[in-house]
Amino acid sequence: MDKVKVYHYSKCVTCRRSIDMLSKEHELELRDIFKDRLSKDEIRDIIAKAGVSARELVRRKSKAYKDIINGNYTDEEIIEMMSNDPSIIERPIIIMGGKVFIRPRLEKVE
């Protein structure tokens, strides 16, 4: 079975909870996006595979959320912001079996 990729932030409670639950049944490949930031190409790939817009990948609890969502930013500008500041990326991002789950309720991941 393929490894399950988890893009996370080690200090995030939701991320840690997701990792704990997934690790019981899956081999995980973990990447802390604060220590090893996502490139613009990686962010574009996640957005494409998840079938979402860049705005939908913006973390709702981030301080910049309202500015980004209400601003007149293009997807490319938002992707640039995310590559420079991982705190605005919704997390965890779980890639399993070719599917991308962004901050999922874990019962939907299986």
Side-chain angles (χ1 to χ4, degrees):
M1 175 178 246
D2 289 338
K3 287 184 182 179
V4 174
K5 290 183 182 180
V6 182
Y7 299 116
H8 69 100
Y9 175 41
S10 61
K11 295 181 182 177
C12 170
V13 172
T14 302
C15 292
R16 289 195 312 259
R17 192 175 305 133
S18 297
I19 290 167
D20 286 345
M21 289 185 73
L22 288 168
S23 67
K24 292 175 184 174
E25 296 185 22
H26 303 281
E27 185 177 347
L28 304 181
E29 180 181 318
L30 302 176
R31 179 168 171 188
D32 186 328
I33 61 173
F34 282 71
K35 293 178 181 173
D36 184 9
R37 293 186 179 178
L38 296 170
S39 70
K40 289 183 274 188
D41 284 340
E42 288 172 315
I43 295 167
R44 282 187 206 100
D45 188 54
I46 288 167
I47 289 168
K49 286 180 179 171
V52 299
S53 69
R55 278 182 169 69
E56 291 174 281
L57 191 59
V58 175
R59 184 171 178 258
R60 289 184 177 89
K61 293 181 182 180
S62 72
K63 293 176 183 170
Y65 178 76
K66 285 183 182 177
D67 174 54
I68 293 169
I69 295 304
N70 296 325
N72 196 19
Y73 298 104
T74 66
D75 275 6
E76 277 306 308
E77 289 170 325
I78 295 170
I79 290 167
E80 175 80 27
M81 288 184 243
M82 290 177 176
S83 70
N84 292 322
D85 181 4
S87 72
I88 64 174
I89 301 172
E90 190 63 90
R91 59 189 184 255
I93 298 170
I94 299 165
I95 301 175
M96 172 189 265
K99 294 182 182 177
V100 176
F101 302 91
I102 300 168
R103 196 170 199 258
R105 291 196 330 252
L106 288 178
E107 63 272 12
K108 291 190 171 189
V109 173
E110 301 299 325

